[in-house]
Each structure stands twice: as structure tokens, then as C-alpha cells.
Amino acid sequence: MICDHYPMRIGGREADAASGARLEVLNPATGRLLCTVPAGDADDIAAAVAAAAAAGEVWGRKSPLDRAAVLNRAAEILTRRMPEFVAVEVAQTGRPVREMLAQLARTPEWYSYFAAVARTHETHVHPFGGAYLNYSRRAPLGVVGLVTPWNHPLLILTKKIAPALAAGNTVVVKPSEVAPVTPLMLADVLDKAGLPAGACNVVTGYGAVAGAALGAHPGISKIDLTGGTETGRRVAALAGERLIPFSGELGGKASVVVFDDMPDDRAVSAALFAAFIAAGQTCVQGARLLVQRSVHDRVLDRLVARARRIRIGDPTDPATQMGPLVSQRQLDTVERYVAIGRAEGARLAHGGNRLQLEGMAGGFFHEPTIFAGVHNDMRIAQEEIFGPVVCVIPFEDEDDAVRLANGTAFGLAASVWSADIARAQRVAQRIDSGIVWINDHHRIDPSSPWGGFGDSGLGKENGIVCYESYTRLQSVVVNLSGDHFDWFADDAADKRYS
Ligand code: NAD
């Protein structure tokens, strides 16, 4: 079912890199070769941007009604092809099939939601005064560059491409070199849905080569990236040079704040769900578990007991609850941070080791890992590890919880767990994060704005605000009076110009 080689998509056609270079995609559960994709470079990016610009002449002029019809068809085709997408996503990311079934089943909603937004979005008539009609209109930006990571390859691209296309833009996608296959498959879905050739181009390749070339290309009108904070800074600087909009969904270090009125079993399931989904490789991972001191020891003991029972193994097995990390590099990072945590004096309450599983000896598996006795200023509490590691930190009261939750440079997400909803909202509103869940974590919807503060990025995905960010607003002022206005007439009369 999985092919040996997946070509890129440029101008509606399958293409290999102009240089002929390829890169290898590994199966994280075995460490073995899964397939190859082209290793595109600046030449391929230039061809893709040219194709997207040409397609913009067609797609950008279509009515919202026509664009919505294509996106609705894409939602239908994607739904029909879901088993194929799930199988490939599991194979290239190592994420368990039960997670990918749950996550990918929702992706068609983004296409139908943004189809509906395109159909219903209204602009304003402004109270300009006098005999003027002033209205605003939203026009597409042009060619948009979309750079995506490996942890949710299809979902994250979907969050960007659905609003970008709905608003009339054409796109050049640079997916992660680690998991590029489902983005290539998505281009085929959009093609079959009736998107004009060249409106969606996918160039695979390394970030420092193909990604950097896309960010620097003079033909793009916006660059939207999900990735690490340092990558975001680099790409934002390129956008800054050219004065084009940049949107960045970057790193995180989310806090899960548990008050003592939360039943223990809910608190523990919350912490497990927040910390260990995707083996901790999500930007909103609950990497910092802040527990009110009166229940801290009890919650920690139960958390350790439950973490011991997580079933780690073959991601294609529906019974598996946690798969491998995505790569040797990610595994090395986790091991390095476990050593840092120990050296900083944190107590390893559970885990801390890589795992060799039978039949998957080359897989990148690591135990779920719990550090207790963590201080907020330790590196393991501050830096994004992006693996199955959670730091447990006690707090005294509301003020202390807010101080700790706000005590990182990141500001992507947090969750607050309390039976007292008034208190939970009070605390939520004091936390400097773009997303705060109350008595939940990880929940997402195409209508719900998603994006971070501080080092977690700029801009929002999802919702009307995201659709608008893929447009430029033009103000049209119409003089309806028909009067002859002559500022320089020699009549000495008082004249109004504002
Ligand atoms: P990464 O920054 O290494 O790579 C992201 C993408 O950027 C890849 O396609 C990569 O090839 C490309 N890239 C790398 N260097 C580049 C450069 N110099 N110029 C242009 N493109 C370049 O990130 P990753 O390891 O793929 O993903 C993990 C990171 O993504 C984590 O930090 C995580 O928090 C973040 N993330 C954020 C969100 C969010 O919604 N905020 C969601 C998922 C992941």
C-alpha cells in the first residue's frame, strides 16, 4: 500500500527534483526505510512558485461559491480515502493507529468549514459620511508559502491550506522532510476535487534548503510556518526583509494546572492525556504538571502507577497506546534532557530510558517519563523537549499557580482543572497563553482560534480570523455626489478634504 517513492507535485504534474536528488523517509517503529521523496531545492521552489502564480490567475478569480464547491468535494474525497491516509500517517510518524484514526477523521471538517466561511464571509460598509459609499473588500494575497512539521503532517497542513485556498490564494507547500508523504497525497485529493493545476504545489526537501528558498522567494506574498521557535525566527526575518506577512505556530511548554478540588482520577487522566499523546510530540503537550500541594503526593503516586500501565509498542496495533518517537534525533534529544534533569537534581519518579522492543529493535521507543521535585527554573521545566517527559511542580494557591504557569518564555497553551468553574476562569484569564482549556486539553475545532503568545509565535490558525489573515483588505471609496470638485479653483471658498 505504501509506495517506494513519492514524487513532488508542481504545476499539477508529478515531478522529481531538478537535481535528481532524493531523501529517505524512515519508519520510526523499525528505523527502516519506508520510502524516498525528492530532495527539492531552490530550482524546484522557483518552478513551484511560478506555477502557483499562473494558477492564481484562475483560482484567484473564481467566486467564493466555486471555491467552496471544490473544498467541499475535497472533504468528501478525503473522507473516502481516510483509511489510506491513516495507514501512511502511522507508518511515517510512528503514532498509534488509534490516535491517527481519531485525529485524521476530523480533517475533512476544515475543508467544509472554510468552504462555508468563503460562502458566508461579509465585509463592511463604513460610515464615511457625506455623499460617499465606502466599502471594504477582501482580496487574495497571491502565492502563499506553507511550511509544516512532522508531528501532525496532515492536520497541520490542512489547518493552513483550507483557509488559504478558500480565500483564493494558491500555495507552495514545503512539508517536513521527516514525514512528507500525506502532504503529497493531499495534493492529489485537491487535484481530483477540481482545484486548477498549479494551485497546490508540494516541494519536498530539507528545511535549510527548500524551506529557506521558499521563505526567501520574491514571488510569495505570505509565509506561514509551523515548527520550532528558532526556525520561526529565521523565516520571520526573511518575511520582515520583504515586508510580507508571517504567521508562525511555534514551540510550547504547556502547563496543566490541577486544583485540589479535582477528583484524583480525573486529574491523573488529564495529566496522562496532556503529556503522553503522540509520545509527547505535540506543541501543546502538557509538559508541566502544576499540582496544588495538598494533593501533590497523591496525584504523583497515581500518575506513576498509570504511566507504568501505558501499552507501548507497534503503532499499527489498535491496542497500542504509545508508539515510538519520530526519529533517532528526537530520541537523542529526550535522552539528553533526561540526563539534564537528573543533573539538575530533579527526581526521576518513572521512566527515563529508551526501549528495545521485540521485533522492532531499530525503533525509536522511549518510556513515558515523570520528573518530580522540579523547580521552575530548571531547564527541563523551561525548554521544549518534545517527547514523553512531564515535570511535576507543586503550587500553593491561585496566585502561585498563575506565577508558575506564566513562568516560561512560551505562551501557546495551558489547561486549568478545577470543580470551581468561577475560579478556573479567573485563573485561565490570568494565564498568558493563546489557548486555555478548562477541564480539558488538546481539544481543537476548525472554528476555534489557535496560536501562541511570546516565543510560541504570531498569528492564528482556525476560525474567521485565520481566513481573514489570508486576504488583504482593500477600502473602496466612491463619490456618489456627481459634483465637480476643484481644490485649486480660484474661488477662495472654504473646502473640505477629510
Ligand atoms: P522544525 O522547525 O525543525 O521544522 C519545521 C519545518 O520547517 C520543516 O518543514 C522544516 O524542514 C522547515 N525548516 C527548518 N529549517 C528551516 C529554515 N531555515 N527555513 C525554512 N524552513 C525551515 O520543527 P519540527 O521538528 O518539524 O516540528 C516540531 C516543532 O514544531 C516543535 O517546536 C513544535 O512545538 C512545533 N509545533 C508547533 C505547533 C503549533 O501549533 N504551535 C504545532 C506543531 C508543532
Side-chain angles (χ1 to χ4, degrees), residues 147-152 156 159 174-177 206-208 211-212 225-228 231 234-235 249-252 283 384 386 412 450:
V147 184
T148 55
W150 47 260
N151 61 333
H152 313 289
I156 288 176
K159 284 162 77 187
K174 210 303 282 173
S176 167
E177 56 274 37
Y206 295 104
L225 169 128
T226 296
T231 309
R234 256 182 242 137
V235 174
E249 302 296 327
L250 309 177
C283 50
E384 188 180 45
F386 224 59
L412 182 56
W450 177 283

PDB file of all heavy atoms in Angstrom, residues 147-152 156 159 174-177 206-208 211-212 225-228 231 234-235 249-252 283 384 386 412 450, ligand 1:
ATOM      1  N   VAL A 147       4.909  26.060   5.328  1.00  0.00           N
ATOM      2  CA  VAL A 147       5.994  25.174   5.776  1.00  0.00           C
ATOM      3  C   VAL A 147       5.492  24.428   7.011  1.00  0.00           C
ATOM      4  O   VAL A 147       5.043  25.054   7.981  1.00  0.00           O
ATOM      5  CB  VAL A 147       7.269  25.983   6.115  1.00  0.00           C
ATOM      6  CG1 VAL A 147       8.412  25.049   6.490  1.00  0.00           C
ATOM      7  CG2 VAL A 147       7.671  26.862   4.929  1.00  0.00           C
ATOM      8  N   THR A 148       5.549  23.090   6.976  1.00  0.00           N
ATOM      9  CA  THR A 148       4.885  22.324   8.034  1.00  0.00           C
ATOM     10  C   THR A 148       5.821  21.315   8.699  1.00  0.00           C
ATOM     11  O   THR A 148       6.820  20.896   8.113  1.00  0.00           O
ATOM     12  CB  THR A 148       3.647  21.598   7.453  1.00  0.00           C
ATOM     13  OG1 THR A 148       4.059  20.797   6.342  1.00  0.00           O
ATOM     14  CG2 THR A 148       2.598  22.587   6.993  1.00  0.00           C
ATOM     15  N   PRO A 149       5.480  20.891   9.926  1.00  0.00           N
ATOM     16  CA  PRO A 149       6.342  19.979  10.694  1.00  0.00           C
ATOM     17  C   PRO A 149       5.912  18.513  10.520  1.00  0.00           C
ATOM     18  O   PRO A 149       4.982  18.220   9.772  1.00  0.00           O
ATOM     19  CB  PRO A 149       6.099  20.440  12.124  1.00  0.00           C
ATOM     20  CG  PRO A 149       4.663  20.818  12.129  1.00  0.00           C
ATOM     21  CD  PRO A 149       4.347  21.346  10.751  1.00  0.00           C
ATOM     22  N   TRP A 150       6.549  17.627  11.277  1.00  0.00           N
ATOM     23  CA  TRP A 150       6.292  16.193  11.110  1.00  0.00           C
ATOM     24  C   TRP A 150       5.305  15.628  12.113  1.00  0.00           C
ATOM     25  O   TRP A 150       4.881  14.496  11.995  1.00  0.00           O
ATOM     26  CB  TRP A 150       7.615  15.407  11.239  1.00  0.00           C
ATOM     27  CG  TRP A 150       8.440  15.827  12.430  1.00  0.00           C
ATOM     28  CD1 TRP A 150       9.506  16.669  12.412  1.00  0.00           C
ATOM     29  CD2 TRP A 150       8.249  15.468  13.804  1.00  0.00           C
ATOM     30  NE1 TRP A 150      10.004  16.862  13.681  1.00  0.00           N
ATOM     31  CE2 TRP A 150       9.247  16.123  14.554  1.00  0.00           C
ATOM     32  CE3 TRP A 150       7.345  14.654  14.475  1.00  0.00           C
ATOM     33  CZ2 TRP A 150       9.359  16.000  15.940  1.00  0.00           C
ATOM     34  CZ3 TRP A 150       7.443  14.527  15.857  1.00  0.00           C
ATOM     35  CH2 TRP A 150       8.437  15.194  16.567  1.00  0.00           C
ATOM     36  N   ASN A 151       4.952  16.394  13.142  1.00  0.00           N
ATOM     37  CA  ASN A 151       4.212  15.715  14.219  1.00  0.00           C
ATOM     38  C   ASN A 151       2.738  15.464  13.895  1.00  0.00           C
ATOM     39  O   ASN A 151       2.181  14.447  14.308  1.00  0.00           O
ATOM     40  CB  ASN A 151       4.396  16.430  15.558  1.00  0.00           C
ATOM     41  CG  ASN A 151       3.900  17.840  15.560  1.00  0.00           C
ATOM     42  OD1 ASN A 151       3.857  18.498  14.517  1.00  0.00           O
ATOM     43  ND2 ASN A 151       3.511  18.338  16.705  1.00  0.00           N
ATOM     44  N   HIS A 152       2.104  16.387  13.161  1.00  0.00           N
ATOM     45  CA  HIS A 152       0.734  16.125  12.669  1.00  0.00           C
ATOM     46  C   HIS A 152       0.757  16.513  11.182  1.00  0.00           C
ATOM     47  O   HIS A 152       0.217  17.561  10.801  1.00  0.00           O
ATOM     48  CB  HIS A 152      -0.307  17.003  13.356  1.00  0.00           C
ATOM     49  CG  HIS A 152      -0.208  17.083  14.853  1.00  0.00           C
ATOM     50  ND1 HIS A 152      -0.528  16.028  15.675  1.00  0.00           N
ATOM     51  CD2 HIS A 152       0.133  18.101  15.680  1.00  0.00           C
ATOM     52  CE1 HIS A 152      -0.376  16.401  16.934  1.00  0.00           C
ATOM     53  NE2 HIS A 152       0.033  17.650  16.968  1.00  0.00           N
ATOM     54  N   ILE A 156      -1.886  19.612  10.325  1.00  0.00           N
ATOM     55  CA  ILE A 156      -1.328  20.970  10.333  1.00  0.00           C
ATOM     56  C   ILE A 156      -1.357  21.573   8.938  1.00  0.00           C
ATOM     57  O   ILE A 156      -1.709  22.747   8.772  1.00  0.00           O
ATOM     58  CB  ILE A 156       0.072  20.988  10.967  1.00  0.00           C
ATOM     59  CG1 ILE A 156      -0.094  20.769  12.474  1.00  0.00           C
ATOM     60  CG2 ILE A 156       0.796  22.314  10.694  1.00  0.00           C
ATOM     61  CD1 ILE A 156       1.180  20.665  13.256  1.00  0.00           C
ATOM     62  N   LYS A 159      -4.889  22.685   8.324  1.00  0.00           N
ATOM     63  CA  LYS A 159      -5.254  23.927   9.019  1.00  0.00           C
ATOM     64  C   LYS A 159      -4.820  25.163   8.241  1.00  0.00           C
ATOM     65  O   LYS A 159      -5.365  26.241   8.418  1.00  0.00           O
ATOM     66  CB  LYS A 159      -4.605  23.962  10.414  1.00  0.00           C
ATOM     67  CG  LYS A 159      -5.299  23.053  11.417  1.00  0.00           C
ATOM     68  CD  LYS A 159      -4.412  22.770  12.608  1.00  0.00           C
ATOM     69  CE  LYS A 159      -4.328  23.900  13.591  1.00  0.00           C
ATOM     70  NZ  LYS A 159      -3.327  23.646  14.657  1.00  0.00           N
ATOM     71  N   LYS A 174       5.916  23.232   1.708  1.00  0.00           N
ATOM     72  CA  LYS A 174       7.183  22.547   1.980  1.00  0.00           C
ATOM     73  C   LYS A 174       6.945  21.747   3.255  1.00  0.00           C
ATOM     74  O   LYS A 174       7.057  22.260   4.359  1.00  0.00           O
ATOM     75  CB  LYS A 174       8.307  23.563   2.167  1.00  0.00           C
ATOM     76  CG  LYS A 174       9.679  23.066   1.755  1.00  0.00           C
ATOM     77  CD  LYS A 174      10.136  21.811   2.467  1.00  0.00           C
ATOM     78  CE  LYS A 174      10.638  22.069   3.861  1.00  0.00           C
ATOM     79  NZ  LYS A 174      10.920  20.815   4.605  1.00  0.00           N
ATOM     80  N   PRO A 175       6.602  20.444   3.089  1.00  0.00           N
ATOM     81  CA  PRO A 175       6.351  19.643   4.299  1.00  0.00           C
ATOM     82  C   PRO A 175       7.661  19.235   4.965  1.00  0.00           C
ATOM     83  O   PRO A 175       8.734  19.372   4.373  1.00  0.00           O
ATOM     84  CB  PRO A 175       5.626  18.410   3.739  1.00  0.00           C
ATOM     85  CG  PRO A 175       6.075  18.287   2.320  1.00  0.00           C
ATOM     86  CD  PRO A 175       6.465  19.672   1.853  1.00  0.00           C
ATOM     87  N   SER A 176       7.547  18.699   6.160  1.00  0.00           N
ATOM     88  CA  SER A 176       8.754  18.238   6.864  1.00  0.00           C
ATOM     89  C   SER A 176       9.420  17.110   6.085  1.00  0.00           C
ATOM     90  O   SER A 176       8.751  16.207   5.573  1.00  0.00           O
ATOM     91  CB  SER A 176       8.378  17.737   8.254  1.00  0.00           C
ATOM     92  OG  SER A 176       9.472  17.041   8.803  1.00  0.00           O
ATOM     93  N   GLU A 177      10.731  17.138   6.064  1.00  0.00           N
ATOM     94  CA  GLU A 177      11.486  16.059   5.403  1.00  0.00           C
ATOM     95  C   GLU A 177      11.326  14.736   6.142  1.00  0.00           C
ATOM     96  O   GLU A 177      11.571  13.672   5.591  1.00  0.00           O
ATOM     97  CB  GLU A 177      12.975  16.439   5.304  1.00  0.00           C
ATOM     98  CG  GLU A 177      13.677  16.794   6.613  1.00  0.00           C
ATOM     99  CD  GLU A 177      13.523  18.268   6.999  1.00  0.00           C
ATOM    100  OE1 GLU A 177      12.441  18.851   6.758  1.00  0.00           O
ATOM    101  OE2 GLU A 177      14.494  18.825   7.544  1.00  0.00           O
ATOM    102  N   TYR A 206      14.812  19.455   2.340  1.00  0.00           N
ATOM    103  CA  TYR A 206      15.289  19.846   3.674  1.00  0.00           C
ATOM    104  C   TYR A 206      14.921  21.301   3.974  1.00  0.00           C
ATOM    105  O   TYR A 206      14.849  22.140   3.070  1.00  0.00           O
ATOM    106  CB  TYR A 206      16.799  19.657   3.766  1.00  0.00           C
ATOM    107  CG  TYR A 206      17.196  18.202   3.645  1.00  0.00           C
ATOM    108  CD1 TYR A 206      17.743  17.709   2.463  1.00  0.00           C
ATOM    109  CD2 TYR A 206      16.990  17.326   4.711  1.00  0.00           C
ATOM    110  CE1 TYR A 206      18.088  16.361   2.352  1.00  0.00           C
ATOM    111  CE2 TYR A 206      17.334  15.974   4.596  1.00  0.00           C
ATOM    112  CZ  TYR A 206      17.875  15.505   3.417  1.00  0.00           C
ATOM    113  OH  TYR A 206      18.197  14.174   3.311  1.00  0.00           O
ATOM    114  N   GLY A 207      14.738  21.576   5.263  1.00  0.00           N
ATOM    115  CA  GLY A 207      14.341  22.912   5.672  1.00  0.00           C
ATOM    116  C   GLY A 207      15.337  23.983   5.279  1.00  0.00           C
ATOM    117  O   GLY A 207      14.980  25.032   4.736  1.00  0.00           O
ATOM    118  N   ALA A 208      16.619  23.690   5.552  1.00  0.00           N
ATOM    119  CA  ALA A 208      17.640  24.709   5.305  1.00  0.00           C
ATOM    120  C   ALA A 208      17.838  24.967   3.811  1.00  0.00           C
ATOM    121  O   ALA A 208      18.431  25.982   3.430  1.00  0.00           O
ATOM    122  CB  ALA A 208      18.961  24.269   5.931  1.00  0.00           C
ATOM    123  N   GLY A 211      13.064  24.834   2.333  1.00  0.00           N
ATOM    124  CA  GLY A 211      12.281  25.734   3.193  1.00  0.00           C
ATOM    125  C   GLY A 211      12.828  27.157   3.127  1.00  0.00           C
ATOM    126  O   GLY A 211      12.075  28.126   2.965  1.00  0.00           O
ATOM    127  N   ALA A 212      14.152  27.272   3.235  1.00  0.00           N
ATOM    128  CA  ALA A 212      14.767  28.610   3.205  1.00  0.00           C
ATOM    129  C   ALA A 212      14.545  29.266   1.848  1.00  0.00           C
ATOM    130  O   ALA A 212      14.285  30.472   1.758  1.00  0.00           O
ATOM    131  CB  ALA A 212      16.261  28.492   3.517  1.00  0.00           C
ATOM    132  N   LEU A 225       4.306  29.249   8.790  1.00  0.00           N
ATOM    133  CA  LEU A 225       5.142  28.122   9.203  1.00  0.00           C
ATOM    134  C   LEU A 225       4.676  27.560  10.537  1.00  0.00           C
ATOM    135  O   LEU A 225       4.333  28.313  11.447  1.00  0.00           O
ATOM    136  CB  LEU A 225       6.595  28.613   9.346  1.00  0.00           C
ATOM    137  CG  LEU A 225       7.562  27.648  10.018  1.00  0.00           C
ATOM    138  CD1 LEU A 225       8.791  27.451   9.153  1.00  0.00           C
ATOM    139  CD2 LEU A 225       7.992  28.107  11.395  1.00  0.00           C
ATOM    140  N   THR A 226       4.663  26.253  10.653  1.00  0.00           N
ATOM    141  CA  THR A 226       4.575  25.623  11.966  1.00  0.00           C
ATOM    142  C   THR A 226       5.869  24.869  12.171  1.00  0.00           C
ATOM    143  O   THR A 226       6.269  24.070  11.316  1.00  0.00           O
ATOM    144  CB  THR A 226       3.366  24.660  12.050  1.00  0.00           C
ATOM    145  OG1 THR A 226       2.175  25.421  11.918  1.00  0.00           O
ATOM    146  CG2 THR A 226       3.333  23.942  13.389  1.00  0.00           C
ATOM    147  N   GLY A 227       6.513  25.140  13.298  1.00  0.00           N
ATOM    148  CA  GLY A 227       7.796  24.483  13.557  1.00  0.00           C
ATOM    149  C   GLY A 227       8.390  25.022  14.847  1.00  0.00           C
ATOM    150  O   GLY A 227       7.703  25.637  15.670  1.00  0.00           O
ATOM    151  N   GLY A 228       9.677  24.790  15.012  1.00  0.00           N
ATOM    152  CA  GLY A 228      10.351  25.233  16.227  1.00  0.00           C
ATOM    153  C   GLY A 228      10.509  26.753  16.265  1.00  0.00           C
ATOM    154  O   GLY A 228      10.465  27.423  15.226  1.00  0.00           O
ATOM    155  N   THR A 231      13.401  28.149  14.112  1.00  0.00           N
ATOM    156  CA  THR A 231      13.058  28.148  12.684  1.00  0.00           C
ATOM    157  C   THR A 231      12.115  29.319  12.402  1.00  0.00           C
ATOM    158  O   THR A 231      12.275  30.034  11.402  1.00  0.00           O
ATOM    159  CB  THR A 231      12.361  26.817  12.303  1.00  0.00           C
ATOM    160  OG1 THR A 231      13.153  25.732  12.763  1.00  0.00           O
ATOM    161  CG2 THR A 231      12.144  26.712  10.819  1.00  0.00           C
ATOM    162  N   ARG A 234      13.928  32.599  12.091  1.00  0.00           N
ATOM    163  CA  ARG A 234      14.672  32.724  10.828  1.00  0.00           C
ATOM    164  C   ARG A 234      13.736  33.076   9.678  1.00  0.00           C
ATOM    165  O   ARG A 234      14.012  33.970   8.873  1.00  0.00           O
ATOM    166  CB  ARG A 234      15.361  31.402  10.509  1.00  0.00           C
ATOM    167  CG  ARG A 234      16.830  31.501  10.804  1.00  0.00           C
ATOM    168  CD  ARG A 234      17.547  30.231  10.447  1.00  0.00           C
ATOM    169  NE  ARG A 234      18.109  29.731  11.694  1.00  0.00           N
ATOM    170  CZ  ARG A 234      18.095  28.495  12.089  1.00  0.00           C
ATOM    171  NH1 ARG A 234      17.579  27.566  11.338  1.00  0.00           N
ATOM    172  NH2 ARG A 234      18.625  28.172  13.234  1.00  0.00           N
ATOM    173  N   VAL A 235      12.624  32.376   9.612  1.00  0.00           N
ATOM    174  CA  VAL A 235      11.704  32.591   8.484  1.00  0.00           C
ATOM    175  C   VAL A 235      11.009  33.947   8.637  1.00  0.00           C
ATOM    176  O   VAL A 235      10.791  34.659   7.642  1.00  0.00           O
ATOM    177  CB  VAL A 235      10.707  31.408   8.387  1.00  0.00           C
ATOM    178  CG1 VAL A 235       9.659  31.659   7.338  1.00  0.00           C
ATOM    179  CG2 VAL A 235      11.475  30.123   8.076  1.00  0.00           C
ATOM    180  N   GLU A 249       3.294  29.217  13.988  1.00  0.00           N
ATOM    181  CA  GLU A 249       2.812  28.392  15.109  1.00  0.00           C
ATOM    182  C   GLU A 249       4.041  27.661  15.615  1.00  0.00           C
ATOM    183  O   GLU A 249       4.502  26.707  14.992  1.00  0.00           O
ATOM    184  CB  GLU A 249       1.754  27.393  14.622  1.00  0.00           C
ATOM    185  CG  GLU A 249       0.546  28.012  13.958  1.00  0.00           C
ATOM    186  CD  GLU A 249      -0.244  28.873  14.902  1.00  0.00           C
ATOM    187  OE1 GLU A 249      -0.295  28.556  16.100  1.00  0.00           O
ATOM    188  OE2 GLU A 249      -0.796  29.885  14.444  1.00  0.00           O
ATOM    189  N   LEU A 250       4.583  28.099  16.748  1.00  0.00           N
ATOM    190  CA  LEU A 250       5.921  27.645  17.123  1.00  0.00           C
ATOM    191  C   LEU A 250       5.890  26.775  18.386  1.00  0.00           C
ATOM    192  O   LEU A 250       4.885  26.152  18.681  1.00  0.00           O
ATOM    193  CB  LEU A 250       6.832  28.869  17.240  1.00  0.00           C
ATOM    194  CG  LEU A 250       6.784  29.790  15.998  1.00  0.00           C
ATOM    195  CD1 LEU A 250       7.641  31.024  16.187  1.00  0.00           C
ATOM    196  CD2 LEU A 250       7.151  29.051  14.723  1.00  0.00           C
ATOM    197  N   GLY A 251       6.978  26.759  19.098  1.00  0.00           N
ATOM    198  CA  GLY A 251       7.116  25.813  20.211  1.00  0.00           C
ATOM    199  C   GLY A 251       6.222  26.120  21.403  1.00  0.00           C
ATOM    200  O   GLY A 251       5.589  27.167  21.483  1.00  0.00           O
ATOM    201  N   GLY A 252       6.192  25.166  22.335  1.00  0.00           N
ATOM    202  CA  GLY A 252       5.370  25.361  23.529  1.00  0.00           C
ATOM    203  C   GLY A 252       5.931  24.607  24.719  1.00  0.00           C
ATOM    204  O   GLY A 252       6.860  23.806  24.596  1.00  0.00           O
ATOM    205  N   CYS A 283       2.879  20.313  20.156  1.00  0.00           N
ATOM    206  CA  CYS A 283       3.272  21.643  20.607  1.00  0.00           C
ATOM    207  C   CYS A 283       2.538  22.043  21.883  1.00  0.00           C
ATOM    208  O   CYS A 283       3.033  22.846  22.649  1.00  0.00           O
ATOM    209  CB  CYS A 283       2.992  22.650  19.502  1.00  0.00           C
ATOM    210  SG  CYS A 283       1.323  22.468  18.871  1.00  0.00           S
ATOM    211  N   GLU A 384      11.654  23.301  25.510  1.00  0.00           N
ATOM    212  CA  GLU A 384      10.769  22.334  24.858  1.00  0.00           C
ATOM    213  C   GLU A 384      11.552  21.049  24.588  1.00  0.00           C
ATOM    214  O   GLU A 384      12.546  21.067  23.866  1.00  0.00           O
ATOM    215  CB  GLU A 384      10.233  22.908  23.545  1.00  0.00           C
ATOM    216  CG  GLU A 384       9.162  22.033  22.934  1.00  0.00           C
ATOM    217  CD  GLU A 384       8.619  22.594  21.614  1.00  0.00           C
ATOM    218  OE1 GLU A 384       9.426  23.011  20.779  1.00  0.00           O
ATOM    219  OE2 GLU A 384       7.390  22.577  21.439  1.00  0.00           O
ATOM    220  N   PHE A 386       9.856  18.019  23.649  1.00  0.00           N
ATOM    221  CA  PHE A 386       9.110  17.394  22.545  1.00  0.00           C
ATOM    222  C   PHE A 386       9.247  15.875  22.601  1.00  0.00           C
ATOM    223  O   PHE A 386       9.607  15.209  21.642  1.00  0.00           O
ATOM    224  CB  PHE A 386       9.594  17.946  21.197  1.00  0.00           C
ATOM    225  CG  PHE A 386       8.436  18.264  20.277  1.00  0.00           C
ATOM    226  CD1 PHE A 386       7.467  19.174  20.654  1.00  0.00           C
ATOM    227  CD2 PHE A 386       8.310  17.644  19.036  1.00  0.00           C
ATOM    228  CE1 PHE A 386       6.398  19.469  19.814  1.00  0.00           C
ATOM    229  CE2 PHE A 386       7.241  17.928  18.189  1.00  0.00           C
ATOM    230  CZ  PHE A 386       6.287  18.839  18.590  1.00  0.00           C
ATOM    231  N   LEU A 412       1.851  29.139  24.414  1.00  0.00           N
ATOM    232  CA  LEU A 412       0.939  28.543  23.433  1.00  0.00           C
ATOM    233  C   LEU A 412      -0.357  28.087  24.093  1.00  0.00           C
ATOM    234  O   LEU A 412      -1.443  28.477  23.673  1.00  0.00           O
ATOM    235  CB  LEU A 412       1.634  27.367  22.725  1.00  0.00           C
ATOM    236  CG  LEU A 412       0.821  26.683  21.633  1.00  0.00           C
ATOM    237  CD1 LEU A 412       0.379  27.670  20.567  1.00  0.00           C
ATOM    238  CD2 LEU A 412       1.632  25.559  20.987  1.00  0.00           C
ATOM    239  N   TRP A 450      -6.446  29.358  17.124  1.00  0.00           N
ATOM    240  CA  TRP A 450      -5.330  28.551  17.650  1.00  0.00           C
ATOM    241  C   TRP A 450      -4.031  29.281  17.346  1.00  0.00           C
ATOM    242  O   TRP A 450      -3.726  29.555  16.195  1.00  0.00           O
ATOM    243  CB  TRP A 450      -5.341  27.196  16.932  1.00  0.00           C
ATOM    244  CG  TRP A 450      -4.230  26.268  17.306  1.00  0.00           C
ATOM    245  CD1 TRP A 450      -2.938  26.346  16.882  1.00  0.00           C
ATOM    246  CD2 TRP A 450      -4.321  25.118  18.142  1.00  0.00           C
ATOM    247  NE1 TRP A 450      -2.214  25.308  17.423  1.00  0.00           N
ATOM    248  CE2 TRP A 450      -3.043  24.542  18.189  1.00  0.00           C
ATOM    249  CE3 TRP A 450      -5.364  24.517  18.856  1.00  0.00           C
ATOM    250  CZ2 TRP A 450      -2.768  23.398  18.916  1.00  0.00           C
ATOM    251  CZ3 TRP A 450      -5.089  23.375  19.580  1.00  0.00           C
ATOM    252  CH2 TRP A 450      -3.816  22.828  19.613  1.00  0.00           C
TER     253      TRP A 450
HETATM  254  P1  NAD B   1      11.339  22.383  12.588  1.00  0.00           P
HETATM  255  O1  NAD B   1      11.375  23.804  12.973  1.00  0.00           O
HETATM  256  O2  NAD B   1      12.601  21.602  12.617  1.00  0.00           O
HETATM  257  O3  NAD B   1      10.779  22.209  11.105  1.00  0.00           O
HETATM  258  C1  NAD B   1       9.516  22.711  10.721  1.00  0.00           C
HETATM  259  C2  NAD B   1       9.512  22.917   9.229  1.00  0.00           C
HETATM  260  O4  NAD B   1      10.405  23.999   8.930  1.00  0.00           O
HETATM  261  C3  NAD B   1      10.026  21.712   8.429  1.00  0.00           C
HETATM  262  O5  NAD B   1       9.328  21.609   7.207  1.00  0.00           O
HETATM  263  C4  NAD B   1      11.480  22.086   8.174  1.00  0.00           C
HETATM  264  O6  NAD B   1      12.025  21.443   7.036  1.00  0.00           O
HETATM  265  C5  NAD B   1      11.364  23.583   7.966  1.00  0.00           C
HETATM  266  N1  NAD B   1      12.591  24.328   8.196  1.00  0.00           N
HETATM  267  C6  NAD B   1      13.622  24.035   9.017  1.00  0.00           C
HETATM  268  N2  NAD B   1      14.579  24.989   8.929  1.00  0.00           N
HETATM  269  C7  NAD B   1      14.138  25.905   8.047  1.00  0.00           C
HETATM  270  C8  NAD B   1      14.667  27.130   7.541  1.00  0.00           C
HETATM  271  N3  NAD B   1      15.862  27.593   7.912  1.00  0.00           N
HETATM  272  N4  NAD B   1      13.931  27.839   6.663  1.00  0.00           N
HETATM  273  C9  NAD B   1      12.705  27.396   6.284  1.00  0.00           C
HETATM  274  N5  NAD B   1      12.171  26.241   6.703  1.00  0.00           N
HETATM  275  C10 NAD B   1      12.877  25.504   7.586  1.00  0.00           C
HETATM  276  O7  NAD B   1      10.216  21.697  13.502  1.00  0.00           O
HETATM  277  P2  NAD B   1       9.808  20.162  13.584  1.00  0.00           P
HETATM  278  O8  NAD B   1      10.867  19.440  14.350  1.00  0.00           O
HETATM  279  O9  NAD B   1       9.397  19.659  12.246  1.00  0.00           O
HETATM  280  O10 NAD B   1       8.469  20.261  14.467  1.00  0.00           O
HETATM  281  C11 NAD B   1       8.498  20.379  15.847  1.00  0.00           C
HETATM  282  C12 NAD B   1       8.315  21.815  16.278  1.00  0.00           C
HETATM  283  O11 NAD B   1       7.102  22.327  15.738  1.00  0.00           O
HETATM  284  C13 NAD B   1       8.171  21.957  17.779  1.00  0.00           C
HETATM  285  O12 NAD B   1       8.897  23.069  18.243  1.00  0.00           O
HETATM  286  C14 NAD B   1       6.688  22.166  17.981  1.00  0.00           C
HETATM  287  O13 NAD B   1       6.341  22.831  19.169  1.00  0.00           O
HETATM  288  C15 NAD B   1       6.334  22.955  16.770  1.00  0.00           C
HETATM  289  N6  NAD B   1       4.909  22.821  16.512  1.00  0.00           N
HETATM  290  C16 NAD B   1       4.086  23.895  16.794  1.00  0.00           C
HETATM  291  C17 NAD B   1       2.700  23.773  16.613  1.00  0.00           C
HETATM  292  C18 NAD B   1       1.768  24.919  16.940  1.00  0.00           C
HETATM  293  O14 NAD B   1       0.589  24.836  16.581  1.00  0.00           O
HETATM  294  N7  NAD B   1       2.232  25.971  17.603  1.00  0.00           N
HETATM  295  C19 NAD B   1       2.173  22.577  16.134  1.00  0.00           C
HETATM  296  C20 NAD B   1       3.048  21.519  15.851  1.00  0.00           C
HETATM  297  C21 NAD B   1       4.411  21.653  16.036  1.00  0.00           C
END
